[in-house]
Amino acid sequence: MEAKTYYNADADLKFLHDKTVAILGYGSQGHAHALNLKDSGVNVVVGLREDSSSRAKAKNEGLKVYSTAEAAQKGDIVMVLIPDQYQADVYEQEIKPNLSDGNALAFAHGFNIHFDQIQPDTNVDVFMIAPKSPGHLVRRVYKKGSGTPCLIAVDQDYTGTAKGTALAYAKAIGGTRAGVLETTFKEETETDLFGEQAILCGGVSELVKQGFEVLTEAGYQPEIAYFECLHELKLIVDLMYEGGIERMYYSVSDTAEYGGLTRGAEVVDEVNKERMKEVLKRVQNGAFANDWIKENEDGIPKLKELRSQLGDHQIEKVGKQLRSMMEGILEEESEVDEAAE
Ligand code: NAD
Ligand code: MG
């Protein structure tokens, strides 16, 4: 492997002995980190807003809950797991005044540090532990004795032990059981933004919508187009996830394989690749970050408009009806998925 990778033997929980880890936020990542750390014997506190609906949940799960500021004050390591767009404000108001010399400020995504929305004082460590799974899986696989691969990066090493502490944290949430890959805040942030924009969220959705439009505009029934362009995507993605693109092509019919291999590159060609490079450039030069920060300052008007446009698209309306017919199988499948995990 090219990326430097760490396993259990490379990480030592001693870096967390006598330390308190403050987990700020109790959403997808927050609950998983807090519970895994606790089960690994680490002293954990959770920081939440006074009015947060997650307070009762965290308490019921045996965690000590404080206000965000109190938790930041108690924590030697402060892990920020609130939504990225609120982190800078919360940092200024509630975290920064409560960080002491030699504390560590930790993140699960690099956006705010990389784009200088948070500029920590020089007398703290700054690192990232980014699990490559949603939180419920980080928790579920930990309980079964395995782990989720994580990315690790150190942006600021004031104490000289930032990497040891970061690796210990990764071990305590189960990451080193699977493997922890070394990266930088820059690489993690830029690749994450590019991936979600060009492929995962943006690119795939547009491909699906346009395929649906081509079929319906040619006179085919929207329900049939929905199945072909959206519903069946899951099967294909599951095969790729399991065994790559070759595994997918091995499992589909020879007709699908030949048609896909010859026609796919006609649809998504060099022109698309050049556009992807443009998207990457705007991620790298900060234009996207500035756009998104300004959008938040303005109260997300464009995002609201785009959400409503998407809701009006025929594929979403047809999808709602068809999925209500499929409630039975969708439920069944998610139970099978859970059993498989
Ligand atoms: P989430 O939306 O699931 O949870 C956010 C939590 O923060 C909630 O408990 C919410 O109540 C709390 N919160 C919201 N606004 C707040 C505020 N102003 N002050 C204090 N608390 C507030 O978020 P998440 O998906 O767990 O993301 C947390 C971090 O983890 C982000 O940096 C994200 O990029 C990163 N991350 C997420 C995933 C994922 O799969 N969800 C994977 C890797 C990294
Ligand atoms: Mg910086």
Side-chain angles (χ1 to χ4, degrees):
M1 289 230 283
E2 257 180 63
K4 192 148 202 251
T5 309
Y6 302 93
Y7 299 96
N8 276 340
D10 306 310
D12 194 336
L13 290 179
K14 77 170 188 219
F15 287 98
L16 299 178
H17 283 170
D18 306 320
K19 297 265 167 76
T20 295
V21 177
I23 302 293
L24 307 185
Y26 203 70
S28 174
Q29 292 294 322
H31 91 283
H33 290 224
L35 294 171
N36 290 5
L37 286 162
K38 180 165 84 72
D39 289 352
S40 293
V42 178
N43 188 26
V44 188
V45 298
V46 173
L48 286 170
R49 288 173 299 184
E50 305 290 349
D51 60 348
S52 168
S53 57
S54 305
R55 282 189 158 245
K57 189 162 175 263
K59 277 186 192 156
N60 282 339
E61 284 165 339
L63 292 156
K64 289 175 239 165
V65 180
Y66 298 94
S67 71
T68 308
E70 280 172 328
Q73 198 275 321
K74 288 186 190 296
D76 301 292
I77 297 152
V78 179
M79 174 53 107
V80 186
L81 296 175
I82 65 177
D84 297 294
Q85 66 270 35
Y86 306 134
Q87 290 182 5
D89 278 346
V90 172
Y91 173 77
E92 283 305 320
Q93 316 277 331
E94 290 162 285
I95 304 174
K96 184 180 153 90
N98 291 302
L99 284 180
S100 354
D101 193 80
N103 278 182
L105 185 62
F107 297 88
H109 176 41
F111 188 98
N112 285 290
I113 292 293
H114 178 61
F115 291 117
D116 290 328
Q117 298 306 293
I118 294 177
Q119 293 178 286
D121 293 338
T122 52
N123 68 339
V124 294
D125 290 347
V126 179
F127 61 77
M128 167 169 44
I129 300 294
K132 292 279 91 188
S133 275
H136 69 278
L137 281 185
V138 173
R139 179 60 182 153
R140 200 179 296 159
V141 299
Y142 174 90
K143 281 204 285 188
K144 291 193 175 152
S146 64
T148 304
C150 293
L151 304 183
I152 184 174
V154 173
D155 192 61
Q156 203 164 280
D157 186 9
Y158 171 71
T159 61
T161 54
K163 192 155 160 192
T165 309
L167 281 171
Y169 185 106
K171 185 175 193 168
I173 64 167
T176 49
R177 293 173 181 172
V180 173
L181 279 66
E182 186 153 23
T183 184
T184 60
F185 275 64
K186 174 178 159 59
E187 183 177 63
E188 186 274 341
T189 305
E190 292 176 355
T191 54
D192 186 78
L193 292 173
F194 173 78
E196 65 203 18
Q197 293 173 17
I199 318 288
L200 307 173
C201 308
V204 168
S205 302
E206 288 309 315
L207 207 55
V208 166
K209 267 165 53 187
Q210 287 184 29
F212 176 87
E213 287 168 11
V214 167
L215 285 179
T216 51
E217 284 164 19
Y220 297 100
Q221 300 183 77
E223 293 81 0
I224 308 298
Y226 175 87
F227 277 116
E228 287 307 324
C229 299
L230 189 150
H231 182 80
E232 289 188 25
L233 191 60
K234 175 172 166 33
L235 172 74
I236 298 302
V237 169
D238 284 350
L239 290 166
M240 284 195 191
Y241 184 90
E242 266 170 47
I245 299 172
E246 285 181 306
R247 166 84 173 84
M248 182 277 287
Y249 273 133
Y250 172 81
S251 295
V252 299
S253 69
D254 288 356
T255 313
E257 181 184 11
Y258 179 72
L261 285 171
T262 56
R263 279 14 178 214
E266 287 177 14
V267 174
V268 182
D269 62 7
E270 284 301 314
V271 177
N272 297 95
K273 189 168 172 186
E274 287 309 311
R275 295 206 190 110
M276 284 194 195
K277 288 183 187 172
E278 287 301 314
V279 166
L280 179 60
K281 210 176 283 164
R282 292 197 298 271
V283 164
Q284 290 170 325
N285 67 20
F288 171 77
N290 290 336
D291 176 13
W292 175 223
I293 291 160
K294 168 114 194 344
E295 173 72 4
N296 274 288
E297 285 166 0
D298 295 347
I300 56 166
K302 207 195 275 176
L303 182 56
K304 284 182 184 157
E305 170 59 26
L306 291 167
R307 278 178 187 158
S308 128
Q309 273 177 29
L310 177 60
D312 290 340
H313 196 286
Q314 193 185 14
I315 196 170
E316 292 300 290
K317 300 199 156 145
V318 173
K320 250 178 221 138
Q321 287 169 357
L322 288 174
R323 287 190 301 272
S324 74
M325 283 165 46
M326 294 189 288
E327 263 163 23
I329 69 157
L330 293 180
E331 230 167 76
E332 194 75 13
E333 275 176 1
S334 76
E335 274 164 27
V336 170
D337 281 352
E338 280 187 22
E341 278 153 9

